[in-house]
Amino acid sequence: MEKVAVVTGSAKGLGKSIALTLADRGYTLVIHYRKSRSEAQEVLGKIKKRSPRSILVNADLSWESEVKKMFAQIFAKLKRVDLLVNNVGGFLYKKFSQMTTSEFRGLIESNVYSTLFCSRAVLPVMRKQKSGQIINIGVVGAERLNLLEKSAPYFYAKHGVYMLTKMVAHEEAKYGIHVNMISPASLDTAIFKSSDFPMGRSVRYDDVVKALLFLISADAYYINGANIEVAGGFILGVK
Ligand SMILES: NC(=O)c1ccc[n+]([C@@H]2O[C@H](COP(=O)([O-])OP(=O)(O)OC[C@H]3O[C@@H](n4cnc5c(N)ncnc54)[C@H](OP(=O)(O)O)[C@@H]3O)[C@@H](O)[C@H]2O)c1
């Protein structure tokens, strides 16, 4: 049977890596973008041969009306969704005192609300299917209180994603739905040096993708509501 995966923010970065791997594993992909249209078309071009029914969708996930339209389009074309990866999540490295209201709101909306809206749009169909996987992308330390000078609002938002993961898993487990979270350390070294990481390098996309493949495998059947840190022993604020 065809398996459909929606990966939000899959034109670039981690989302693109996840989408390419899932296409290799036989999924039909929904490639989502907001502004990066040409990059998204390129990703679709790369997977079309092995995943011919894959489609492209466009939405700003901060708006529930756009999310609803996007999922209506997905269900009209593909009928089902087996896996939703809530990968979208803005980051801003700025002092709290210098952050505008709209920047603060943008962090909360792109991380928490995008996860909430997409999950809510997909859950009724997953309940009918009596199966489904949701993977939320967090960040290392999302379970704890992190008062980092220039990124506290981002961590506040990711903690919201962590809470959503737990809540939704608890409510939906009885319908055969799995909701888990993967929390990577910094994927680029713009802020950190390789020597800041206990394993001598920052996390790579494929480290995260491998954790995702495990979580959606039959071996992870009883893992629900979990947060897996893919951080190589890195702890925020600890040298
Ligand atoms: N990068 C890191 O070091 C790092 C570390 C730990 C965790 N993470 C988390 O990993 C995930 C992916 O990170 P990344 O660095 O690969 O992502 P990214 O490049 O910062 O963003 C991925 C995509 O998200 C889309 N996006 C942002 N806000 C949106 C909105 N309101 N509506 C719809 N799309 C929106 C953008 O799409 P368009 O370009 O099409 O507008 C963007 O290309 C994020 O959740 C991030 O918080 C990242």
Side-chain angles (χ1 to χ4, degrees), residues 11 16 19 22 36 68 74 87 107 113-114 120 126 128 136 140 156 158 167-169 175 213:
K16 173 180 171 180
L22 290 172
S36 303
K68 280 184 176 167
I74 294 168
N87 167 71
L107 281 173
Y113 281 83
S114 71
R120 234 164 29 189
M126 287 185 171
K128 270 191 208 147
N136 298 326
V140 64
Y156 169 63
K158 285 299 194 192
M167 272 164 39
V168 181
Y175 302 107
L213 292 176

Side-chain angles (χ1 to χ4, degrees), residues 78-116:
L78 299 172
K79 312 290 178 224
R80 58 187 292 117
V81 170
D82 299 280
L83 169 64
L84 163 66
V85 183
N86 284 312
N87 167 71
V88 160
F91 173 71
L92 195 60
Y93 193 64
K94 214 172 185 183
K95 274 190 163 185
F96 186 70
S97 54
Q98 287 159 1
M99 198 174 278
T100 66
T101 303
S102 91
E103 286 171 336
F104 187 89
R105 182 176 285 140
L107 281 173
I108 308 299
E109 286 179 342
S110 68
N111 283 284
V112 184
Y113 281 83
S114 71
T115 302
L116 170 75

Side-chain angles (χ1 to χ4, degrees), residues 14 34-36 59-62 87 89 137-138 154 158 184-185 187:
L14 177 61
R34 179 190 51 177
K35 293 180 188 158
S36 303
D60 184 334
L61 305 182
S62 301
N87 167 71
I137 304 297
Y154 172 71
K158 285 299 194 192
L187 286 151

